[in-house]
Amino acid sequence: MTSQCVTVRVQSEDFDQAVETALLTKGRTDIGAVATFSGLCRGEGETLTALELEHYPGMAESEIETVTNEAMKRWPIDGLTVIHRYGKILPGEQIVLVIATSKHRDAAFDGARYVMDFLKTNAPFWKKEHRADGDDSNWVDAREEDEQAKARWE
Amino acid sequence: MTSQCVTVRVQSEDFDQAVETALLTKGRTDIGAVATFSGLCRGEGETLTALELEHYPGMAESEIETVTNEAMKRWPIDGLTVIHRYGKILPGEQIVLVIATSKHRDAAFDGARYVMDFLKTNAPFWKKEHRADGDDSNWVDAREEDEQAKARWE
Amino acid sequence: MAGVDTKLVYFSWVRERVGKGEERIILPEEISTVMELLLWLKQRDESFAAALEFPEIIRVALDQEHAEHTDKIGTPREIAIFPPMTGG
Amino acid sequence: MAGVDTKLVYFSWVRERVGKGEERIILPEEISTVMELLLWLKQRDESFAAALEFPEIIRVALDQEHAEHTDKIGTPREIAIFPPMTGG
């Protein structure tokens, strides 16, 4: 295994955090820190029956790669895995996974959070709500907090 | 399951991150974010054959609980699990696990990192090195960076 | 740039309001910047008027790269038009 | 505080240097603060002199709670003495 390894996947299938973590850490003794973030679909008090994620094929992957490349430049990260799903996702199911590994915890934490912050505002994905009351017309609004979160890295 | 759940364990046995995550998230649809940190034993270029972790029984648990309570007060965290091992740990093996769940990612990330930063300097654990050259007398020095990391939360 | 045959792609509620996911158009010669393109599209018909009612919030990508509203369009093969992103 | 029978516990290289994990002592009357305790222990014998060579870096817990060197000792049942922690 090389000393730096970046994986970016955009897929409709679910993923297994334990499998992805093992791919980054198995057989290695130089990694001291693994920071992981997973984003789940919320049911919003049972008002939602599902989220439908639309994406821009090609650009979704390349935007995430731009973010991971920047993270690898900024911090001494050994491995970085980003998986983002599209399609219909039910409450409680996984939407996104970021894993960053490093010798020390600061690089792992910073790397994972940086990727999430930029992915939120730069990667071309859009969430549509399927509501329990039958209304399937509402698209989730972008959050001002997400723009602010990105700004803290500048 | 209650809406806030904190688990603190100090044990010699290994742990399974996937099992611990499922305990916090399974059957729930109100969690949007899961931030996880695991700390692994590094081999330091094969100069180490193991780390031996000594701890102060009782105080180790209560210091971690103090930190988790403070994190739960500071951020809207739904679930928080901290597991810290003691005894002999081989390179590549897991030493510590922190999982924080929340509605949004900022609380999950902040909570997990806060717990790690305070655990590093406040929880009574000490690491002794078993070296490949047979020298088993060296205790790991506390890192100045760890004191600084704690200071960023003040 | 001017008079070039270009693929336009639409996403999310922009796609729903314009009523199609993609189309090919000939970019008029007078259009130079991203904002000029949005304003020109907006006056094409009622669907585009609804989709691009607030052009300042609409995002544009030229050949799959984010562009500012003041950027020159150049001669991309593909122009994407969409609302602020909500992934992650 | 003074003349009280107290359990002392040692960890890590402090434990190794003093040559034991715990002991019971009678705290002398004149010892009031944590630092005074460390300085008194340091002059007990060569082992303690080695363990507490730099008392300013040594940490102390009173009944399993961290204490500052300037804190009054009070009447704890258990006093722990150890180097800076390196967990996590």
Side-chain angles (χ1 to χ4, degrees), chain A residues 52-73:
Chain A
E52 181 92 34
L53 271 101
E54 182 172 335
H55 78 298
Y56 185 177
M59 184 173 170
E61 289 86 346
S62 67
E63 277 299 314
I64 297 173
E65 280 160 16
T66 299
V67 176
T68 56
N69 289 342
E70 183 61 28
M72 299 297 285
K73 266 190 275 180

Side-chain angles (χ1 to χ4, degrees), chain C residues 47-84:
Chain C
S47 303
F48 277 90
L52 306 178
E53 182 183 1
F54 303 106
E56 61 279 6
I57 67 162
I58 298 295
R59 309 296 176 96
V60 174
L62 305 175
D63 282 336
Q64 308 201 346
E65 295 210 4
H66 290 296
E68 300 294 324
H69 286 180
T70 51
D71 286 351
K72 298 281 182 203
I73 292 180
T75 55
R77 283 158 302 163
E78 184 172 292
I79 301 176
I81 299 172
F82 45 78

Side-chain angles (χ1 to χ4, degrees), chain A residues 50-54 87-89 126-130 139:
Chain A
L51 284 177
E52 181 92 34
L53 271 101
E54 182 172 335
K88 201 168 187 174
I89 295 176
W126 301 271
K127 293 194 184 98
K128 190 176 198 180
E129 297 179 348
H130 290 270
W139 291 87

Side-chain angles (χ1 to χ4, degrees), chain B residues 50-141:
Chain B
L51 284 177
E52 182 93 34
L53 272 100
E54 181 170 337
H55 78 299
Y56 185 176
M59 184 173 171
E61 289 85 347
S62 69
E63 277 298 313
I64 297 175
E65 279 159 17
T66 299
V67 176
T68 56
N69 290 342
E70 183 62 27
M72 299 297 285
K73 266 191 275 179
R74 283 197 177 209
W75 294 282
I77 292 169
D78 290 315
L80 188 52
T81 295
V82 183
I83 303 174
H84 201 303
R85 292 176 67 195
Y86 60 85
K88 199 167 187 174
I89 295 177
L90 305 182
E93 289 188 349
Q94 306 181 106
I95 298 172
V96 62
L97 176 71
V98 177
I99 310 175
T101 65
S102 182
K103 195 175 172 207
H104 292 297
R105 73 186 185 288
D106 276 349
F109 267 124
D110 280 337
R113 194 164 186 170
Y114 177 91
V115 168
M116 275 306 302
D117 283 350
F118 277 79
L119 187 153
K120 278 261 174 193
T121 51
N122 286 18
F125 291 87
W126 301 271
K127 293 193 184 98
K128 190 175 197 179
E129 296 179 348
H130 290 271
R131 293 194 175 165
D133 65 8
D135 180 359
D136 292 345
S137 67
N138 191 62
W139 292 87
V140 173
D141 277 330

Side-chain angles (χ1 to χ4, degrees), chain D residues 38-58:
Chain D
L38 292 175
L39 295 174
W40 176 75
L41 287 169
K42 185 180 174 182
Q43 54 76 52
R44 281 171 94 198
D45 62 33
E46 277 180 20
S47 303
F48 277 91
L52 306 179
E53 182 183 1
F54 303 106
E56 60 279 8
I57 66 163
I58 298 294

Side-chain angles (χ1 to χ4, degrees), chain C residues 21-60:
Chain C
E22 58 179 81
E23 65 179 315
R24 299 204 73 91
I25 62 159
I26 304 294
L27 279 185
E29 289 193 25
E30 69 272 20
I31 293 174
S32 165
T33 68
V34 167
M35 184 52 101
E36 285 165 18
L37 170 67
L38 292 175
L39 295 174
W40 176 75
L41 287 169
K42 185 179 175 182
Q43 53 76 51
R44 281 170 95 197
D45 63 32
E46 278 181 18
S47 303
F48 277 90
L52 306 178
E53 182 183 1
F54 303 106
E56 61 279 6
I57 67 162
I58 298 295
R59 309 296 176 96
V60 174

